[in-house]
Amino acid sequence: MADQTRVTLEQSEMPEAWYNILPRLPFPPDPPLHPGTREPIGPDDLAPLFPMGLIGQEVSTDPWIDIPGPILDIYARWRPTPLQRATRLEKALGTPAQIWYKYEGVSPAGSHKPNTAIAQAFYNKEEGVTRIATETGAGQWGSSLAFACALFDIECKVYMVKSSFEQKPYRRLMIETWGASVTPSPSTETNAGRAILDANPDSPGSLGIAISEAVEDAAGREDTKYSLGSVLNHVLLHQTVEGLELRKQLEKAGLQADVLIACCGGGSNLGGFIFPFLEEKIERGDGLRFVAVEPASCPTLTAGKIDYDFGDTAGMTPLLRMYTLGHEFVPPAIHAGGLRYHGDSPLISGLAEHGYLEAVAYPQGKVFEAAVQFARTEGYIPAPESAHAVRAAIDEALRCKEENSAETIVFNLSGNADFDLAAYDAYLNGRLESEV
Amino acid sequence: MADQTRVTLEQSEMPEAWYNILPRLPFPPDPPLHPGTREPIGPDDLAPLFPMGLIGQEVSTDPWIDIPGPILDIYARWRPTPLQRATRLEKALGTPAQIWYKYEGVSPAGSHKPNTAIAQAFYNKEEGVTRIATETGAGQWGSSLAFACALFDIECKVYMVKSSFEQKPYRRLMIETWGASVTPSPSTETNAGRAILDANPDSPGSLGIAISEAVEDAAGREDTKYSLGSVLNHVLLHQTVEGLELRKQLEKAGLQADVLIACCGGGSNLGGFIFPFLEEKIERGDGLRFVAVEPASCPTLTAGKIDYDFGDTAGMTPLLRMYTLGHEFVPPAIHAGGLRYHGDSPLISGLAEHGYLEAVAYPQGKVFEAAVQFARTEGYIPAPESAHAVRAAIDEALRCKEENSAETIVFNLSGNADFDLAAYDAYLNGRLESEV
């Protein structure tokens, strides 16, 4: 038998509670503010948009929150996800480091997004919600919520950033196969969309604009709630199944991570991956590093400033204290659509502000170079977002080679590229804007 | 904790030898014949096309064939694959039956095909082969061999059935991302291709034609061997990792299957799934049923006749005794491109001829109806080929409902539909030719 390169968990070893970082933070969290009064908002302010089950989680100070049985039951369709060692990549790099990755691309939608989509659909269903509106950039989130809504028999409406809608027809078809409806954003269906189109009929859209449309849709209809795929506390909470599984897997394999790496757009993938290691990070200090990887073209953590800002372009959401490039910032149309967000989760921002989290930014040429090397040594073709983590993991491994340091590098391969192969085509044929 | 609905195996529980059905067949196998002499062929006849390692497996009478370490090492990137229970589908159907499925879509290429692609690339590499030519229909095989060749640093040339080449640009991009080159077939690069184009410049191609091109390419170049993704004994041998894992998983969960179901094109997916249950089948008789599912438009087992026939359209391959529709049969362009083959593996044909295997055929409308029901209850969107097995599993479950029989139905979900969503679009919007 070969060395162990794959660490799996039984269904019975799946975490049965989410890890809530809020009561464990070594600094006080900053509350969201009402966009009108600039006073901290309360549950009532959020009630038009979210079911109370999720609002409760947004502010909960319970260290653990039980995962309801019906959610566990669905998680078990693809979870626990495997932890794999990239031995062939290690060899190609000639590094003494071990490179491990947790692979979330095995979910029905092909990414980590269903971890929260299923939970959000469940809590909406429990409170009788019959329709959910949301936005999607690259399409990973929209397809995940469509999948979740299909399973809970909830109508689902997805405002999809127009440039993605046009570039990724298959992603749209996936959403429709699960029974949801998709509208390119900006659309003529909302005031927010019409205002953008009036100013610029050719607008390619952005995540911020699509959020404005979905929020307006939900706020205006009694039967509809809104759902967000990242940024908010409850979303990151749900994603902690990733890090909790990883902790068990590392323990099972007798490993101690030296660095944990994940890409960061709104921050849910990163948060879910690292939060359960917070106590260990505090104890080990620089012995355990958290690394966020972002695109050079949307460098919130590496070049943004921390301040209160809106979550959407139209300024309809509560104000969140976060690293931001300004809510009117529209990043270039890079292929990692899921990382094109002007801000970051307040929880992630807090960890960065207080020195618990490093960040690094890459232009997309360097990202795809790493992704192709990974695909041709390990097999899986990373989603453009996840490819950012691959790039950073390779660079850490090369640093280890220089320093002759046998570290254990663990990154999150958060999704596959099945709907993003046009980006690889552009890269391989010299048509990618590499420096962006 | 919920009921067990997911049965996984550790890396250390992965089978370390393939199951060879040849010496265990309860009937004498029919040898392949030379296309010129009609005499049984020997290893030398196959040497221009295949490495000796694979030719040896083609005729081996060893009951078990060890899986070399480097292959196990790569299998462990996604294997063992999970066995899942479709409880939500059971509930929707109101059946007393249990429905389980083994999910092969977690591989880097999204199907079961890498199980043999990796093995074939390994044995070619061992004998110094630097280039491999093959054909692909739907693209699952071509992408799997491209993936395997990337890992073993072998040049890979894929003749892709032209209708698929045009309908599935992303599948082509996946093949290219792994570094292989793709040519639409019929092409002007081979005599076989040019002959077809002379007769019909608009030919959409077929698997039989593409095989002729790939065989001609390999036969004409010293540095090149040929690789086939189904039909041959060694291909089905490699796929037995599926059935061997399934046996362990059923045992681990305390289950006994009453019926095993898989789709059947050339037969490798089906063979790999059922072969390791042959002894149990012989012992239990009708207590354990094997069911092959095929398209009504290419009904080899249900409406073909068993006879010696060519594997390709041009008549360049050895003659195989199999259920066939005639080597010049060109099936309609159904979406399950992987099932558009005029013949069947001789091993599968033998099992059917001697009463060990049942077969059923469905028009594609019924197939997609089942696939959408599965996607909206269980999540995973089945590849059009795999959707045939879903249809049959649902029909078996409905029979169990009528008979109030709590049987255990196990089917092979051999691949995902990430590159086949146009087919779902057609079905959902009334543009599918349902009766074909």
Side-chain angles (χ1 to χ4, degrees), chain B residues 46-55 57 68 71 116-134 141 145 148-149 152-155 218 222-228 234 238:
Chain B
L46 294 171
L49 293 183
F50 301 104
M52 290 311 295
L54 294 175
I55 294 172
Q57 290 179 356
I71 297 176
T116 183
I118 293 295
Q120 292 192 44
F122 169 82
Y123 288 107
N124 274 285
K125 184 74 178 182
E126 269 216 317
E127 297 180 28
V129 175
T130 58
R131 183 172 176 275
I132 299 179
T134 196
W141 171 244
L145 190 68
C149 285
F152 286 102
D153 197 19
I154 297 172
E155 194 182 334
E222 196 60 45
D223 65 347
T224 301
K225 296 286 184 194
Y226 168 70
S227 174
L228 186 65
H234 68 268
H238 302 151

Side-chain angles (χ1 to χ4, degrees), chain B residues 6-51:
Chain B
R6 177 178 171 90
V7 187
T8 49
L9 299 174
E10 304 272 350
Q11 182 181 2
S12 58
E13 295 174 286
M14 190 155 61
E16 298 192 12
W18 291 299
Y19 174 100
N20 188 9
I21 199 171
L22 212 50
R24 320 185 198 227
L25 286 176
F27 49 83
D30 300 300
L33 304 182
H34 191 281
T37 65
R38 296 220 160 214
E39 292 295 315
I41 57 168
D44 288 354
D45 295 307
L46 294 171
L49 293 183
F50 301 104

Side-chain angles (χ1 to χ4, degrees), chain B residues 123-195:
Chain B
Y123 288 107
N124 274 285
K125 184 74 178 182
E126 269 216 317
E127 297 180 28
V129 175
T130 58
R131 183 172 176 275
I132 299 179
T134 196
E135 71 290 329
T136 197
Q140 293 276 20
W141 171 244
S143 49
S144 298
L145 190 68
F147 152 53
C149 285
L151 266 56
F152 286 102
D153 197 19
I154 297 172
E155 194 182 334
C156 179
K157 166 83 166 187
V158 179
Y159 292 88
M160 185 168 186
V161 174
K162 196 185 279 173
S163 56
S164 289
F165 182 89
E166 287 165 356
Q167 283 164 13
K168 303 187 185 186
Y170 275 49
R171 187 55 91 173
R172 173 174 65 77
L173 296 183
M174 183 178 228
I175 296 173
E176 291 173 348
T177 297
W178 278 313
S181 73
V182 190
T183 303
S185 165
S187 79
T188 56
E189 297 183 21
T190 65
N191 292 326
R194 285 186 292 267

